[in-house]
Amino acid sequence: MVFQETLESRKANPNIVSLLAALLFCSLILQNTQLSTAPAYAIIALTYVCISIAFLWYTPQITIARNWLTPIFVAFVVIVFVRTALDPALSNVVRFFVLLTFTTANLFILPQLISFRKFCNVGSRISAVLVVIGFLPYLGFSFTIGFIDVSLWGSSIYWYPDLKPMMSVFINPNQLGGLTLFATIASIREWTGDGTSIALPLIALNFIGLALSNYRTGWVAFGAAVAIFIVYLLWGRRALLLATIGGLSGLMIALFMMFGVIPGPEFLTEISLNGRRALWIDSVTALRGRLLLGHGFQGVISIVGNPHNSYLRMFTAFGLIGGFLYLVFVIGATVDGARRATTTSGVVLAMLLVAFAVVQVNNQLSFVGISMRSTIIAIILGYSITTDFKTDFPQFKMDL
């Protein structure tokens, strides 16, 4: 079910909306620090309680809008429920509960309360502050305050081996990379849409953070997002749609060539993908053992571990049916976002959708979960699903 509020019902206090957005980002960031798991999740749960209360308080008039992706999501939930019922291990039950609550809120509730503009602006600023903090170890100021450890990762940056990757307050540079990937693209919305003086510094800071995080998947995803943005500037919305479809199709064809499903250049079959090829083969082998309903979330962990591919993870966990529904939902929302992009905000949303669709090829991150990156992916998908594109993104023109 998609909740589509009317403009008349959108009376949320701008300061409260900003506070909730900031609280959301901070709570998601905390779980990726050295803070213990229990208090981190408790803070996240409290944040969502506040968001739910605010949603119910500020949206007294709710109408139901039809969207072809909604039944796809419902069908996916049904498959996950059936698989969980067949193997009601605690970890599977917990993940199904997360799907019903946090993920559903990210897709259908939170985008109705916090406008896309507000989400981008708040997230890009928080990310930029973390990048500034992350610079301190390069200047010789590594430190630990409670559960916050500001230091560098113990390896080398691929494009400059003399430097170590930036982590800022995170326990892993990939977490910073995922946040700065979102924030860099989100800052483009403010630069092209609002034209504020702080927009370019935000883009620069967040891009530097992405570059120093050593998050290679993020680099590729950012390149894909920038490519469709350039296509839009040069040739317009139709070209943007064709570029999105062509890019995703080309990526899928390349993957099929890598595994010999279809004929292709021999060098593609020799790419190791930093060890991912073996994990992907293991995932496909496990799927063949249970084609219909898969092995469940816990089964994937037990058999494959981290498959480093969200789509394969869902196919292995929920079989051909569940995996196909997941794939259709993500790719459908991405293509639909590109098809209906008619404003600056719409184009930037399409960029984010493409970026996170690409990220999921090399990461096991999905829109299901309460991790920072999974939550951001789900919320971005939510904006694509719940936004009424026919009214040209009216909420983005409101000063919230």
Side-chain angles (χ1 to χ4, degrees), residues 154-227:
S155 63
S156 299
I157 295 178
Y158 288 95
W159 55 269
Y160 196 80
D162 290 338
L163 284 180
K164 294 182 177 180
M166 178 189 291
M167 290 197 301
S168 188
V169 301
F170 297 101
I171 59 176
N172 186 304
N174 285 346
Q175 305 294 342
L176 177 66
L179 180 60
T180 52
L181 169 63
F182 158 76
T184 306
I185 299 173
S187 301
I188 294 175
R189 193 221 64 79
E190 185 168 353
W191 174 49
T192 58
D194 300 339
T196 61
S197 59
I198 198 175
L200 282 177
L202 286 174
I203 293 175
L205 275 175
N206 286 305
F207 177 75
I208 291 172
L210 175 61
L212 292 176
S213 70
N214 219 29
Y215 188 42
R216 291 169 298 169
T217 298
W219 299 345
V220 174
F222 180 72
V226 170

Side-chain angles (χ1 to χ4, degrees), residues 193-264:
D194 300 339
T196 61
S197 59
I198 198 175
L200 282 177
L202 286 174
I203 293 175
L205 275 175
N206 286 305
F207 177 75
I208 291 172
L210 175 61
L212 292 176
S213 70
N214 219 29
Y215 188 42
R216 291 169 298 169
T217 298
W219 299 345
V220 174
F222 180 72
V226 170
I228 66 166
F229 182 65
I230 293 174
V231 166
Y232 173 78
L233 292 178
L234 294 177
W235 297 291
R237 183 173 62 87
R238 292 184 181 276
L240 167 67
L241 174 60
L242 292 175
T244 299
I245 296 174
L248 294 176
S249 300
L251 180 60
M252 185 175 297
I253 291 172
L255 290 174
F256 284 154
M257 288 180 176
M258 285 181 187
F259 291 93
V261 178
I262 59 177

Side-chain angles (χ1 to χ4, degrees), residues 5 20 36 102-103 114 123 141 146 162 171 218 225 235 243 245 249 251 268 279 281 293 305 333 374 376:
E5 60 180 321
L20 288 173
S36 300
F102 293 97
T103 301
I114 302 174
F141 298 105
D162 290 338
I171 59 176
W235 297 291
I245 296 174
S249 300
L251 180 60
L268 286 177
L279 293 171
I281 291 174
L293 291 174
S374 290
I376 291 175

Side-chain angles (χ1 to χ4, degrees), residues 67-350:
N67 185 293
W68 70 275
L69 289 168
T70 304
I72 300 295
F73 175 74
V74 173
F76 176 72
V77 172
V78 170
I79 293 297
V80 176
F81 170 75
V82 172
R83 191 65 193 79
T84 303
L86 293 174
D87 183 13
L90 179 60
S91 59
N92 288 334
V93 173
V94 169
R95 285 181 172 86
F96 179 66
F97 173 76
V98 168
L99 175 62
L100 285 181
T101 54
F102 293 97
T103 301
T104 300
N106 289 334
L107 290 171
F108 301 118
I109 294 179
L110 192 144
Q112 299 297 315
L113 178 67
I114 302 174
S115 70
F116 182 68
R117 177 177 181 267
K118 181 66 69 179
F119 187 72
C120 288
N121 289 357
V122 172
S124 62
R125 283 159 173 75
I126 291 177
S127 176
V129 170
L130 294 181
V131 171
V132 172
I133 294 174
F135 268 112
L136 296 179
Y138 291 121
L139 304 176
F141 298 105
S142 297
F143 59 90
T144 300
I145 301 176
F147 55 82
I148 300 296
D149 178 23
V150 178
S151 58
L152 298 175
W153 187 250
S155 63
S156 299
I157 295 178
Y158 288 95
W159 55 269
Y160 196 80
D162 290 338
L163 284 180
K164 294 182 177 180
M166 178 189 291
M167 290 197 301
S168 188
V169 301
F170 297 101
I171 59 176
N172 186 304
N174 285 346
Q175 305 294 342
L176 177 66
L179 180 60
T180 52
L181 169 63
F182 158 76
T184 306
I185 299 173
S187 301
I188 294 175
R189 193 221 64 79
E190 185 168 353
W191 174 49
T192 58
D194 300 339
T196 61
S197 59
I198 198 175
L200 282 177
L202 286 174
I203 293 175
L205 275 175
N206 286 305
F207 177 75
I208 291 172
L210 175 61
L212 292 176
S213 70
N214 219 29
Y215 188 42
R216 291 169 298 169
T217 298
W219 299 345
V220 174
F222 180 72
V226 170
I228 66 166
F229 182 65
I230 293 174
V231 166
Y232 173 78
L233 292 178
L234 294 177
W235 297 291
R237 183 173 62 87
R238 292 184 181 276
L240 167 67
L241 174 60
L242 292 175
T244 299
I245 296 174
L248 294 176
S249 300
L251 180 60
M252 185 175 297
I253 291 172
L255 290 174
F256 284 154
M257 288 180 176
M258 285 181 187
F259 291 93
V261 178
I262 59 177
E266 185 176 350
F267 78 90
L268 286 177
T269 63
E270 300 174 354
I271 297 176
S272 68
L273 298 169
N274 198 28
R276 284 172 168 78
R277 176 186 293 275
L279 293 171
W280 292 0
I281 291 174
D282 289 344
S283 298
V284 173
T285 301
L287 171 62
R288 287 174 178 172
R290 291 187 180 178
L291 283 175
L292 186 59
L293 291 174
H295 299 267
F297 278 122
Q298 186 58 44
V300 176
I301 296 174
S302 301
I303 299 172
V304 183
N306 182 351
H308 285 284
N309 186 302
S310 176
Y311 306 111
L312 280 178
R313 180 191 181 199
M314 291 301 169
F315 272 102
T316 307
F318 304 111
L320 293 178
I321 300 175
F324 179 75
L325 290 171
Y326 183 89
L327 181 65
V328 169
F329 188 82
V330 174
I331 301 303
T334 302
V335 173
D336 211 34
R339 181 179 65 85
R340 297 187 293 168
T342 56
T343 65
T344 297
S345 291
V347 173
V348 172
L349 177 58

